[in-house]
Amino acid sequence: MIAFRNLILGSAVGLLAIGGAQAADLPVKAKAVEYVRICSLYGAGFFYIPGTDTCIKLGGYLRVDTTFNGGPHGQPAWNGDLGQQNRYRDYFASRSRMALTVDTRTATEYGVVRTFGQLDWSFTSPSGSFRDVGGTGNGQQINTEYLFIQFAGFTFGKSSSAYSTPWNGYPGNINSSLLGGNNTDTGLNNIQYTAQFGNGVSGTIGLDDPLNFNRTNVFNLSNPLGPTGLGAANAYAGVHAPDVVGNIRIDQAWGLFQLSAAAHEVNASYNNLTAGAANNLSEISGHPETKWGGSVMAALNIKNIPTGAGDDIKIDATYAKGDTKNVIGNSGASPSFAMFGGSGFGYQSVGLGATTDGVYFPGAGGTNGIKLTTAWGMRGAFNHNWDPYWWTRLFGSYSAVRYDGGANDNIQGLGTTTAKGAYCAAFAASHPGQAVVGNAAGAYSCNPDFNVSQLGVVTRWTPVKNLTFSAEAQWLHLDQKMSGSSVFTATAPKPTALYEFKDQDTFLLEVRAQRNF
């Protein structure tokens, strides 16, 4: 009996101990929910947006540039205060930028649906020729680079043109001003379709909005040109048609080959303009007929050349008629050139180059419509890796702009029927002394043709992953075709004086620190 009682008491104590242990564990924690899951379908860095089957990747960079004797991001001293080398020019210019990218992808029965966007926040030294960058008055700027949707081979939105190469205007350089070819690296509004034919062969066709990226100038030469012969009579009309662009591309282990073509509308506003602006007679004065121009480009990338692992060569060559932006192009507006330097007999020398898609002189004895400007160019780079931390790129370009007709048409009884004749007649209105041969002080021979050569080298050091320091030196030579000299009123603060027409050179140095994330 006593043994039985001890057994009952022992069992009760055991049950109480078990119950106490369970009570001590209360409340019971719920199983952790996996809010973030890695998405391995599209490469490193993607994860699932919680509660969806859409993968997302966040990235970007923070970059700091300083350019000596140039504009932010490596613009050479080819016009403005920098080109004049006056007291308003900045000896250096700096820019700090952070870019944020958002990439989303969703697998569907029609293939992957992708969206991509890039937003840039920049602060540029608000001084000299670059005061009031972005209209804020303090150098701050927000840019939208890419914003597009991709679905079933189509791309809709702001993206690189189907005409462009994968490297755009950067075969090896870090500056955004290497001429000689097309550059849409910051995107433009377009619609394009890409078809894959197998074995690395693809084709893309697209419609580009040319307004913000692919128009230079149309000059109405019935107005006198300004003191530097640039832009005083820009008469482009509104956009009536998109650029039609496309490419055929071969991607292989050895590299890439691409052929591109573009068709571009060149249209003018009115015949009667005042310094390029409309007046009350403009609408009834008529306008020249619209013309279509275009360009073609061939591009080649050769990888893994014998000089070292990862070394490559990139090169592209372009011919354009009425589509000059695809030769004299950078990541912004196409530059025209007004560069000043020393002279042996005049106050100073000046080199000029007007970048246009076409020119016209209305009325009897005029050009009988728009005369399209011809341009061609080539650029390339050799990229060499010294080791995993150091690499060097040698790059260069050559560009040419030509106006049809003879250099002295307007003073040899041929009137203004050619592009050169019309341009030189408008130029002579504010530059006295035009002659067949400009061999005396105050006499000159007019020819608006010009060439631009560039040569540069950049070396980069990556001490740790995703942190790179770069230094780039660049030389630019303007080979202008004017000769002789003229007394004219130059753009302030330059005085009215005797200026010699002469080729010009400029150099710049750009240094950069960049952290990718």
Side-chain angles (χ1 to χ4, degrees):
M1 188 68 180
I2 294 173
F4 180 78
R5 183 183 63 186
N6 290 340
L7 177 62
I8 295 298
L9 290 173
S11 299
V13 170
L15 290 172
L16 288 173
I18 293 172
Q22 290 177 339
D25 291 337
L26 294 177
V28 178
K29 293 182 180 179
K31 184 178 180 181
V33 177
E34 186 181 11
Y35 287 102
V36 177
R37 293 185 296 135
I38 300 299
C39 176
S40 58
L41 297 174
Y42 310 110
F46 283 90
F47 60 90
Y48 284 97
I49 299 175
T52 75
D53 59 355
T54 296
C55 299
I56 186 170
K57 180 180 180 180
L58 304 177
Y61 62 81
L62 199 152
R63 172 191 297 167
V64 180
D65 290 295
T66 298
T67 304
F68 299 89
N69 195 41
H73 203 2
Q75 176 184 306
W78 51 32
N79 55 30
D81 294 326
L82 283 165
Q84 284 198 6
Q85 299 291 293
N86 62 43
R87 291 287 294 172
Y88 292 104
R89 72 183 177 101
D90 299 311
Y91 286 25
F92 65 91
S94 299
R95 184 178 70 176
S96 300
R97 164 177 285 184
M98 186 178 78
L100 176 65
T101 61
V102 180
D103 190 348
T104 72
R105 307 190 193 191
T106 306
T108 74
E109 60 269 30
Y110 297 98
V112 175
V113 177
R114 183 191 183 197
T115 66
F116 184 87
Q118 178 174 330
L119 190 64
D120 297 340
W121 291 268
S122 302
F123 180 82
T124 303
S125 302
S127 58
S129 296
F130 300 94
R131 289 184 177 90
D132 199 25
V133 174
T136 63
N138 59 9
Q140 298 185 61
Q141 190 174 22
I142 298 177
N143 294 320
T144 303
E145 293 207 12
Y146 294 115
L147 287 174
F148 60 81
I149 300 170
Q150 289 181 322
F151 172 68
F154 287 93
T155 299
F156 308 90
K158 191 172 188 284
S159 67
S160 184
S161 172
Y163 180 89
S164 300
T165 63
W167 55 86
N168 269 285
Y170 303 88
N173 49 301
I174 64 172
N175 77 85
S176 62
S177 300
L178 185 65
L179 308 178
N182 162 276
N183 184 11
T184 59
D185 70 301
T186 56
L188 74 168
N189 287 326
N190 61 57
I191 300 173
Q192 52 186 280
Y193 176 76
T194 300
Q196 300 291 341
F197 302 117
N199 297 319
V201 180
S202 64
T204 302
I205 188 169
L207 300 175
D208 291 348
D209 182 347
L211 181 59
N212 292 330
F213 220 97
N214 204 34
R215 307 211 301 180
T216 61
N217 298 291
V218 171
F219 282 176
N220 180 338
L221 295 172
S222 63
N223 295 161
L225 292 171
T228 55
L230 311 177
N234 186 13
Y236 241 121
V239 171
H240 299 159
D243 287 0
V244 182
V245 298
N247 73 65
I248 295 293
R249 178 168 149 182
I250 302 172
D251 288 276
Q252 301 290 336
W254 54 261
L256 171 151
F257 177 72
Q258 179 175 316
L259 289 174
S260 302
H264 173 70
E265 179 195 45
V266 183
N267 59 346
S269 55
Y270 297 106
N271 289 329
N272 192 319
L273 298 170
T274 304
N279 57 52
N280 293 113
L281 299 177
S282 295
E283 194 165 277
I284 62 174
S285 69
H287 60 82
E289 292 296 321
T290 295
K291 286 193 173 181
W292 279 84
S295 61
V296 292
M297 175 177 64
L300 179 66
N301 175 206
I302 303 176
K303 298 179 180 178
N304 299 318
I305 57 180
T307 54
D311 289 7
D312 75 345
I313 294 173
K314 296 183 179 75
I315 188 169
D316 55 70
T318 303
Y319 176 86
K321 187 80 170 179
D323 199 2
T324 310
K325 182 64 186 289
N326 280 339
V327 176
I328 308 296
N330 57 20
S331 61
S334 286
S336 287
F337 302 85
M339 301 171 63
F340 290 75
S343 173
F345 61 88
Y347 172 74
Q348 283 186 327
S349 63
V350 61
L352 303 176
T355 301
T356 66
D357 289 336
V359 301
Y360 69 104
F361 197 112
T367 56
N368 190 29
I370 298 172
K371 300 295 185 180
L372 298 180
T373 304
T374 301
W376 63 86
M378 63 182 303
R379 63 188 173 190
F382 164 60
N383 305 299
H384 176 61
N385 300 310
W386 301 102
D387 58 38
Y389 308 101
W390 291 88
W391 63 100
T392 298
R393 278 75 166 115
L394 179 66
F395 61 89
S397 74
Y398 178 84
S399 311
V401 174
R402 297 290 183 267
Y403 294 84
D404 74 343
N408 297 295
D409 287 350
N410 68 312
I411 59 172
Q412 291 182 330
L414 300 179
T416 57
T417 57
T418 67
K420 274 195 178 79
Y423 184 96
C424 289
F427 190 77
S430 54
H431 298 76
Q434 185 179 170
V436 175
V437 179
N439 57 2
Y444 68 94
S445 178
C446 176
N447 185 348
D449 296 345
F450 65 93
N451 309 318
V452 181
S453 303
Q454 293 171 275
L455 185 64
V457 62
V458 56
T459 294
R460 300 179 180 181
W461 175 46
T462 303
V464 297
K465 184 178 180 180
N466 294 328
L467 176 64
T468 301
F469 299 93
S470 308
E472 179 177 279
Q474 182 190 158
W475 163 74
L476 180 143
H477 176 71
L478 174 64
D479 173 20
Q480 55 93 58
K481 301 303 179 181
M482 308 282 283
S483 63
S485 59
S486 175
V487 176
F488 62 90
T489 302
T491 303
K494 296 293 184 186
T496 300
L498 178 68
Y499 291 91
E500 177 188 5
F501 297 109
K502 186 178 179 182
D503 297 350
Q504 302 293 329
D505 295 274
T506 187
F507 298 85
L508 66 82
L509 172 66
E510 182 178 3
V511 293
R512 169 182 294 175
Q514 180 166 322
R515 169 76 163 98
N516 295 333
F517 55 85

